[in-house]
Amino acid sequence: MGKRKAISFVIDGKELAARTGETILEAALRHDIDIPNLCRYKRISHTASCRLCIVKVKGRPGTVTSCTTAVEEGMEVIAFDDELETVRRTILDMALSNHNDDCVSCVQDGSCQLQDLAFRYNLGRHDRKLPPIWQEIDKTSDYSSPVLDFEASKCIECARCLRACYELQGKGVIGFVNRGIKTTVGTGFKDWTASNCDGCGQCIQICPVGALTAKQVYGDRKRIREKDIERTVQTTCPYCGVGCQLDVAVRKNHIIRVTGSEDALPNHGKTCVKGRFGLDFVNHPARLRWPLIKRDGSFVEVSWDEAIAYTAQRLAGIKGEHGPDAIAGLSSARCTNEENYLFQKFIRGVVGTNNVDHCARLCHASTVAGLAETLGSGAMTNSIAELEHADVILVTGSNTTETHPVIAAEIKRAVLFNGAKLIVVDPRRIDLVQHATLWLRQKSGTDVAWLNGIAHAILAQGLQNDAFIAEKTENFEALKELLSRYTPQEVERISGIPAAQIMEAGRIYGSAKKGSIVYAMGITQHATGTDNVRSLANLALLTGNIGRESTGLNPLRGQNNVQGACDMGALPDVFTGYQKVADPAVRQKFAQAWQVELSPRTGMTLTEIMRGASGGEVKGLYIMGENPVISDPNSNHIREALESLDFLVCQDIFMTETAQLADVVFPAASFAEKDGNFTNTERRVLPVRRVVDAPGEAKEDWAILQRLARAMGAGWEYRSADDILEEINLLTPLYGGITPERIANGEVLQWPCPAPEHPGTKFLHHERFTRGKGLFSAVEYKGARELPDAAYPFALMTGRILYHYHTGSMTRKTKVLPQYVRGAYVEMAFEDLGELGVENGDFVKVSSVRGEIRIAVKVTDRVRKGEVFIPFHFAEAAANVLTNDAIDPVAKIPELKICAVRIEKSFICYGEDEL
């Protein structure tokens, strides 16, 4: 097809070209014709509520609003004449009369669009014709929210906040309240805290005046104006795997404000409450500032020279006495790609072992194993933005609104504005259920059964893609034979999902033209996690919903750089880019590049390292940016394992529960104090930029690694993160074209990107699967390793919540986030309370065969009778004291998502400061 012809039109005698679908206002602004407006925002619908953008169009009576009028071929527009300017001046006068223009004390002074327009039209207080009627109207302001203030007298009723809340975030918390001249915006509740507002701050960012403003949660000043900002740096959020781009404002080496970067992928200005209001941990007084060595049971501050020399001596001693395989390393999903690359290079090339792993073992190891086997690549197949255009989305094992809020917004937009059908499969009543066409509530641990049931239903209704199966897959007959036994009735018996719902789910997903599967750790964190992933792959292969836009298998990575840490080879069986340790040619390539001898033996996984420490096989352990005492299952065993080591070194930004057990602690720079790159869940490499200086003598992780490597005889001479990335480019085909120059030029590329001229890859498996043909897996259902019984009658599920992250080491050191959720709780169904003699807020003892905790009860309809849920962020009631460390035989991932517990009323509780 030829290039689409531009639309020719005229504004004020000037001939211009417009794009198809553009409004007059959009086309004018693109051509630097500044038609005044207040209510327009480029990513929300236009309602013309301010009326300032009126223009005249030849052949039409009166005026039209340019923000809602599409350009037509040959259209002649008058944007400015005396009559239009007089009307605009009058409209502005009316807006100002109903607006508290106390600009002197307003935080938006200097960045208020209404103020700018008043200046443009010379409408000072003495130049207006209308009196200040806002002083006579009782409008209720609201300062109850932990993150925002609403000053009703400054609201101009432009409706931008309403549309942003609903259209961008998919929440619809804000609406107009009251009537007539008293109309303003609000939540419809007594105060903001009584509403469903989760604090994302989108309304603040979009408000053109000072009506909705952020509480000053950063720095030591009570209020901040635009003119107080010294500089702003765009960087990548340190929380979940979305990789939101943030504009971080700085004053005197302190973060003072955070907003979403408007025109940046992948978030386009959106953030969650953590990204916008949860970065003050960077300047927390508890940050580690100096190297520490434990002497006589207590830490003492030492110089870097002493700490490095002592660590090098201890590691060399263990290596010399017990061999390199007596040492292991845990890398970090919170560190940059460059730092993860150097960590695995240090363990392999300097220590001489492949005993390197990281927290992906606990979250998506089964994804890497399952998708690599069935498709050839163990990553998210499609891009975040594509979800909005899917016609069917199946979400399972992902509480997306809490763990990946910006991705959840894309899913909700698909439903609300594009008519997508949403299938949610989850044992808990998560937030996405209210948007779902169909909710399947399975028993925890029965995923293979219900997935086989849906596949059976697709075949029974003739909805499989026969041409795709014949051309692009293998092993279909084996799957077909297996599925004959998974009738809807049999699946109902196993999973508890009604047979009719199984058939309906098969019909909906099987009929999709663009069907997308989204999943996370509710699928992967099982002893059958790899089988669960294989079974999900069967659905995509059966219907041909893969290798095209808005389709695919989309695992959501939990931490900011867990994808990058995997890509960089922080795994025991692969170098960077998933190049196998067992492949002699690969090993030789890396050995030559690093000028070292490399071990051919596959290393230990994280779970094996901990067992090796307990058994005396592992003597020394180097942990960078991980807190396994809280994050790993059966945490009493983890603590015992770490205490059994001869030598433990931890590198972190805070004195975590794990660091407290260390012999040496290195103080590291946070994400805001370094340069490098993260790779987000959609395989997109995103820049991390230094925002402030690190406290005390804390150093970038890569610099610490280099210093230790040199002390142990390595000749490393990296000058910057860019030097490390250039080495990654040379050794890693997936990253070959993602160079420092392209990143500095603003390109945010998705791998595979094998060459500097390659554009990156939006979605995988377009022409063919990485492994050649997609592999169907005939997977039999196996029950969970541990199920409730008479002694332990409750099924425990664990997971994350919106307001905290991982082990809480960052989020619990912020001002705002603990105001939403201060401490641990166990979700219980109302029906279970009477039998136990407890009420909402009471403390109970929750115990498993591995340990016990005491925790407050939260009554909810999110869980069913006999099931409970505990978030794992809280050390004082650590859920992972209870969880099962039984592992998947392929991926070695533990079964964190189900175990059996007993609940008893407890009369021991925490102090108020712990809740």
Side-chain angles (χ1 to χ4, degrees):
M1 293 179 62
K3 188 175 181 181
R4 183 174 293 176
K5 185 179 178 182
I7 300 171
S8 178
F9 78 119
V10 174
I11 294 183
D12 293 340
K14 184 178 181 180
E15 186 171 341
L16 303 171
R19 298 166 182 164
T20 301
E22 269 191 321
T23 64
I24 296 171
L25 181 60
E26 288 167 339
L29 294 175
R30 190 165 53 79
H31 287 285
D32 296 323
I33 298 173
D34 190 13
I35 298 174
N37 62 90
L38 266 176
C39 64
R40 174 193 174 272
Y41 181 79
K42 57 188 173 184
R43 289 192 175 86
I44 59 177
S45 62
H46 306 316
T47 58
S49 56
C50 76
R51 317 303 291 181
L52 282 169
C53 70
I54 54 171
V55 296
K56 298 174 182 177
V57 176
K58 184 177 180 180
R60 300 189 189 185
T63 60
V64 299
T65 50
S66 61
C67 69
T68 60
T69 304
V71 177
E72 297 175 2
E73 181 66 37
M75 179 181 277
E76 296 182 28
V77 177
I78 297 174
F80 295 95
D81 66 14
D82 290 344
E83 181 183 13
L84 287 170
E85 289 292 87
T86 298
V87 173
R88 288 171 182 150
R89 184 181 173 87
T90 301
I91 292 169
L92 265 178
D93 199 348
M94 295 172 64
L96 288 163
S97 74
N98 196 25
H99 175 78
N100 177 359
D101 61 348
D102 185 16
C103 300
V104 174
S105 64
C106 182
V107 296
Q108 288 296 98
D109 180 34
S111 56
C112 170
Q113 290 178 241
L114 182 62
Q115 184 186 59
D116 291 344
L117 285 169
F119 181 84
R120 174 175 171 177
Y121 283 89
N122 194 27
L123 280 171
R125 286 184 176 177
H126 302 295
D127 301 304
R128 305 173 197 164
K129 295 181 180 180
L130 300 176
I133 60 173
W134 67 267
Q135 297 175 345
E136 304 169 16
I137 303 169
D138 182 22
K139 291 185 177 182
T140 304
S141 297
D142 190 335
Y143 310 106
S144 65
S145 166
V147 298
L148 65 83
D149 290 330
F150 173 57
E151 179 58 65
S153 65
K154 296 180 181 178
C155 177
I156 59 171
E157 300 156 39
C158 66
R160 278 166 61 157
C161 59
L162 280 70
R163 287 175 284 147
C165 185
Y166 182 65
E167 296 176 14
L168 297 183
Q169 292 282 350
K171 296 168 184 172
V173 173
I174 306 173
F176 281 121
V177 296
N178 303 323
R179 293 190 177 187
I181 203 168
K182 292 187 176 182
T183 298
T184 187
V185 301
T187 65
F189 290 85
K190 184 179 77 170
D191 59 41
W192 217 277
T193 56
S195 73
N196 289 327
C197 174
D198 62 16
C200 75
Q202 191 75 51
C203 57
I204 299 167
Q205 183 159 325
I206 205 171
C207 181
V209 293
L212 285 162
T213 57
K215 278 190 163 68
Q216 190 55 41
V217 303
Y218 295 109
D220 56 2
R221 298 186 62 164
K222 291 184 178 180
R223 309 174 80 208
I224 294 291
R225 300 165 299 175
E226 192 75 27
K227 63 186 73 175
D228 297 319
I229 296 170
E230 293 175 355
R231 57 193 172 87
T232 299
V233 180
Q234 183 177 315
T235 192
T236 302
C237 180
Y239 286 114
C240 80
V242 175
C244 290
Q245 296 301 285
L246 305 176
D247 291 334
V248 183
V250 179
R251 178 184 173 87
K252 295 182 179 178
N253 203 43
H254 277 69
I255 294 170
I256 59 171
R257 189 178 72 186
V258 180
T259 55
S261 303
E262 286 286 354
D263 296 312
L265 289 167
N267 54 311
H268 294 292
K270 296 191 288 290
T271 73
C272 75
V273 63
K274 292 192 295 294
R276 193 182 299 271
F277 297 108
L279 302 190
D280 48 324
F281 70 85
V282 169
N283 295 116
H284 195 278
R287 283 287 303 278
L288 292 171
R289 286 167 164 75
W290 296 274
L292 304 170
I293 292 179
K294 188 175 286 180
R295 291 175 178 153
D296 298 324
S298 299
F299 285 113
V300 295
E301 294 176 8
V302 298
S303 69
W304 271 108
D305 286 345
E306 183 177 356
I308 291 292
Y310 177 69
T311 302
Q313 175 193 349
R314 292 294 303 272
L315 290 176
I318 294 171
K319 179 179 176 180
E321 183 176 354
H322 301 285
D325 289 336
I327 299 171
L330 298 182
S331 199
S332 178
R334 297 188 226 183
C335 293
T336 64
N337 288 341
E338 294 77 7
E339 290 162 341
N340 277 284
Y341 172 81
L342 278 200
F343 190 91
Q344 60 90 33
K345 180 178 179 179
F346 173 82
I347 295 296
R348 290 189 162 107
V350 179
V351 175
T353 180
N354 287 307
N355 292 341
V356 60
D357 208 353
H358 73 291
C359 69
R361 187 64 50 195
L362 305 176
C363 55
H364 275 287
S366 39
T367 286
V368 175
L371 294 188
E373 176 187 299
T374 57
L375 310 179
S377 175
M380 186 170 172
T381 61
N382 290 64
S383 302
I384 292 169
E386 294 174 46
L387 287 169
E388 184 181 344
H389 305 290
D391 56 12
V392 174
I393 304 172
L394 190 159
V395 177
T396 182
S398 168
N399 186 4
T400 323
T401 52
E402 298 206 49
T403 58
H404 300 84
V406 170
I407 291 178
E410 298 301 311
I411 294 172
K412 288 186 279 188
R413 283 179 55 83
V415 174
L416 295 171
F417 305 112
N418 295 329
K421 293 181 179 179
L422 174 63
I423 304 170
V424 174
V425 189
D426 202 291
R428 294 173 70 225
R429 186 188 296 272
I430 61 173
D431 179 66
L432 281 181
V433 167
Q434 66 181 307
H435 299 280
T437 305
L438 187 63
W439 174 31
L440 310 184
R441 195 174 201 178
Q442 84 279 31
K443 296 175 185 175
S444 187
T446 63
D447 298 301
V448 167
W450 66 260
L451 284 164
N452 281 346
I454 292 178
H456 175 106
I458 290 169
L459 288 176
Q461 297 173 86
L463 297 174
Q464 73 276 11
N465 188 330
D466 291 319
F468 183 91
I469 292 168
E471 180 185 351
K472 294 193 174 184
T473 72
E474 58 187 350
N475 204 38
F476 173 63
E477 291 303 322
L479 174 68
K480 186 176 179 181
E481 191 279 327
L482 170 93
L483 294 180
S484 65
R485 302 193 293 276
Y486 285 85
T487 64
Q489 293 72 27
E490 175 63 8
V491 171
E492 179 176 354
R493 183 190 67 79
I494 297 170
S495 69
I497 301 171
Q501 289 189 348
I502 292 290
M503 291 297 291
E504 179 67 1
R507 184 191 65 79
I508 294 172
Y509 181 75
S511 301
K513 292 183 175 62
K514 293 183 292 183
S516 178
I517 294 173
V518 174
Y519 72 92
M521 285 168 275
I523 283 290
T524 60
Q525 288 180 332
H526 289 272
T528 56
T530 304
D531 282 349
N532 292 347
V533 174
R534 291 165 173 155
S535 300
L536 281 171
N538 286 340
L539 292 188
L541 294 173
L542 198 58
T543 56
N545 275 306
I546 195 161
R548 296 180 286 113
E549 284 201 32
S550 302
T551 63
L553 290 150
N554 298 294
L556 305 184
R557 296 303 188 117
Q559 294 195 50
N560 54 305
N561 199 34
V562 70
Q563 182 65 58
C566 290
D567 298 345
M568 293 299 106
L571 297 166
D573 60 335
V574 293
F575 293 102
T576 60
Y578 309 96
Q579 300 171 86
K580 292 290 186 180
V581 164
D583 186 331
V586 168
R587 209 164 52 247
Q588 182 180 13
K589 179 178 78 168
F590 280 88
Q592 288 178 345
W594 296 348
Q595 298 182 357
V596 295
E597 292 289 330
L598 292 172
S599 171
R601 292 185 297 277
T602 296
M604 294 182 183
T605 65
L606 185 154
T607 46
E608 291 167 337
I609 289 168
M610 293 302 173
R611 289 172 182 170
S614 292
E617 185 181 353
V618 175
K619 304 290 185 181
L621 181 60
Y622 184 178
I623 300 178
M624 179 177 75
E626 297 283 355
N627 189 16
V629 167
I630 305 301
S631 64
D632 291 20
N634 193 2
S635 56
N636 287 334
H637 166 73
I638 298 297
R639 182 178 289 274
E640 292 168 1
L642 296 176
E643 289 172 343
S644 300
L645 292 164
D646 289 353
F647 183 64
L648 173 63
V649 56
C650 286
Q651 187 168 305
D652 218 312
I653 64 175
F654 291 111
M655 182 61 74
T656 64
E657 290 78 8
T658 301
Q660 291 168 18
L661 304 178
D663 298 287
V664 176
V665 177
F666 293 145
S670 75
F671 87 104
E673 299 146 1
K674 64 176 68 172
D675 293 308
N677 297 280
F678 296 151
T679 303
N680 78 344
T681 191
E682 62 177 350
R683 300 168 284 104
R684 190 181 300 279
V685 179
L686 298 161
V688 178
R689 294 294 175 252
R690 185 189 300 271
V691 177
V692 293
D693 296 330
E697 295 183 16
K699 297 185 182 300
E700 293 171 284
D701 292 274
W702 71 263
I704 299 171
L705 285 161
Q706 173 159 278
R707 195 161 180 174
L708 182 58
R710 290 174 67 86
M712 294 183 71
W716 294 6
E717 294 183 355
Y718 302 105
R719 296 163 299 173
S720 67
D722 282 354
D723 284 355
I724 305 168
L725 180 55
E726 287 174 353
E727 187 170 310
I728 295 167
N729 297 150
L730 290 172
L731 293 171
T732 315
L734 289 178
Y735 278 70
I738 306 177
T739 63
E741 293 77 17
R742 296 184 76 180
I743 292 170
N745 196 40
E747 295 184 71
V748 283
L749 301 159
Q750 292 169 276
W751 67 255
C753 181
E757 65 278 4
H758 194 282
T761 305
K762 184 177 182 180
F763 58 89
L764 301 178
H765 315 300
H766 176 46
E767 297 292 339
R768 63 190 295 273
F769 290 103
T770 307
R771 69 179 300 276
K773 287 192 173 185
L775 176 66
F776 282 110
S777 305
V779 180
E780 290 281 9
Y781 162 71
K782 304 179 190 72
R785 296 290 180 87
E786 184 176 285
L787 292 170
D789 56 21
Y792 297 93
F794 289 89
L796 169 65
M797 300 172 284
T798 64
R800 305 179 182 196
I801 59 175
L802 173 63
Y803 298 104
H804 288 286
Y805 174 72
H806 207 239
T807 63
S809 59
M810 290 152 55
T811 52
R812 300 191 79 184
K813 292 180 175 67
T814 65
K815 294 177 184 177
V816 163
L817 300 174
Q819 294 182 49
Y820 286 98
V821 179
R822 187 165 296 279
Y825 58 86
V826 53
E827 288 184 355
M828 295 184 66
F830 178 80
E831 296 91 327
D832 286 321
L833 299 189
E835 297 176 12
L836 296 172
V838 298
E839 298 180 357
N840 189 46
D842 284 353
F843 277 77
V844 293
K845 181 174 75 172
V846 184
S847 55
S848 73
V849 295
R850 290 160 293 276
E852 63 182 48
I853 60 174
R854 284 169 172 79
I855 191 168
V857 169
K858 181 178 181 179
V859 181
T860 178
D861 66 352
R862 282 194 155 198
V863 296
R864 290 175 292 197
K865 178 178 171 58
E867 297 177 341
V868 296
F869 171 84
I870 300 176
F872 78 95
H873 311 288
F874 306 100
E876 69 275 12
N880 283 325
V881 168
L882 309 170
T883 49
N884 192 355
D885 55 359
I887 60 172
D888 179 297
V890 178
K892 303 298 193 297
I893 191 170
E895 189 151 69
L896 288 153
K897 279 295 180 277
I898 180 170
C899 70
V901 297
R902 179 171 60 241
I903 300 177
E904 305 163 88
K905 188 169 184 178
S906 173
F907 297 97
I908 300 174
C909 64
Y910 307 112
E912 185 176 333
D913 61 332
E914 296 179 84
L915 297 179

